[in-house]
Amino acid sequence: MARAATTSDAFNAIAEPRRREILVLLRGSERPVTDLARDLGMTQPQASKHLRVLREVGLVRVRESGKQRLYGLDARGLRPVHEWVGGFERFWSESFGRLDEYVQELKQTRQEEPDDDDDQ
Amino acid sequence: MARAATTSDAFNAIAEPRRREILVLLRGSERPVTDLARDLGMTQPQASKHLRVLREVGLVRVRESGKQRLYGLDARGLRPVHEWVGGFERFWSESFGRLDEYVQELKQTRQEEPDDDDDQ
DNA sequence: TTGACGCATTCCGATATAGGCATATGATGG
DNA sequence: CCATCATATGCCTATATCGGAATGCGTCAA
């Protein structure tokens, strides 16, 4: 088995840096493919392919406008991602950067004051 | 070129569902590989491999404890992800489901009151 | 030492991605 | 109808993933 399809998930879709760039650009306004390609310094086929992925996961919509096709952001699919990652917020807050020292402190405190306590 | 390495990014690392499951489990407490494997219904080598990826991107730490190796969460790497996705929050709030109607409204308003405005 | 346990690593195969390049498709204007 | 602009698709290669199964390796106990 290979890696899960990029189109299987918002998680997988946004794993690609270029696709993330596209989404950021689309935050500003609807845009045709050529525009995006130029602004991001990639070829038009590249942009088209990435947009296809984004469309398949529903992060992007297309709207025909005469000769052009305007791509627009549909960020709703990002919400589950935000929520999932948000579930870890308390783990990077709480001065988590110095967890090791914190553990050391705890140990010392225990030795000084032999209260009985259980960790959860 | 192939897809970016799973170890290149937190974005890429958490694209894998099983790895996400692992991270969720580790929110509870440190755990040895076998535990995780059993609880998630995967083989031990599978779990080990996923943990390796998570370790390489710094989302997980290992601590030797006698015969065992305890894996623990280090969620700091998820913060950038949360922030990036958070940048889209206003796009899924604001009754985004009816964006089209909203755009229509804007157009009409413009015609009624020809203020000069520029979008950025 | 031998064995058992906990875990990591290796080899295998199937899959599909991303980029590059060429080309097909589609609508528009003479 | 033809040329042109805007976009999508097809083909190709290199690469790396994930799963499965087997095995390597280090630690601990007898």
Side-chain angles (χ1 to χ4, degrees), chain B residues 1-3 32-34 44-45 48-49 52 67-69 71:
Chain B
M1 208 168 284
R3 224 200 281 203
V33 183
T34 320
Q44 172 268 312
S48 275
K49 288 176 191 170
R52 180 164 165 68
K67 215 191 319 199
Q68 306 202 136
R69 313 193 70 204
Y71 281 89

Side-chain angles (χ1 to χ4, degrees), chain A residues 58-113:
Chain A
L59 288 175
V60 143
R61 285 178 278 88
V62 211
R63 184 167 67 89
E64 315 276 340
S65 171
K67 216 193 316 201
Q68 306 202 135
R69 312 193 70 204
L70 295 179
Y71 281 89
L73 180 65
D74 186 346
R76 283 173 292 174
L78 289 178
R79 189 173 184 166
V81 179
H82 193 248
E83 275 164 4
W84 186 84
V85 183
F88 292 83
E89 194 157 14
R90 53 177 298 256
F91 292 95
W92 70 66
S93 320
E94 308 187 335
S95 73
F96 193 68
R98 293 182 311 255
L99 179 64
D100 295 341
E101 288 104 294
Y102 178 62
V103 173
Q104 296 307 321
E105 285 181 51
L106 276 187
K107 282 180 180 168
Q108 285 188 309
T109 309
R110 276 190 182 172
Q111 287 180 279
E112 292 167 15
E113 298 217 351

Side-chain angles (χ1 to χ4, degrees), chain B residues 7-8 12 37 39 49 52 54 56 80 87 95 109 112 114-115 119:
Chain B
T7 56
S8 59
N12 281 278
D39 282 24
K49 288 176 191 170
R52 180 164 165 68
L54 292 172
E56 288 191 35
S95 70
T109 309
E112 292 165 16
D115 290 289
D119 33 45

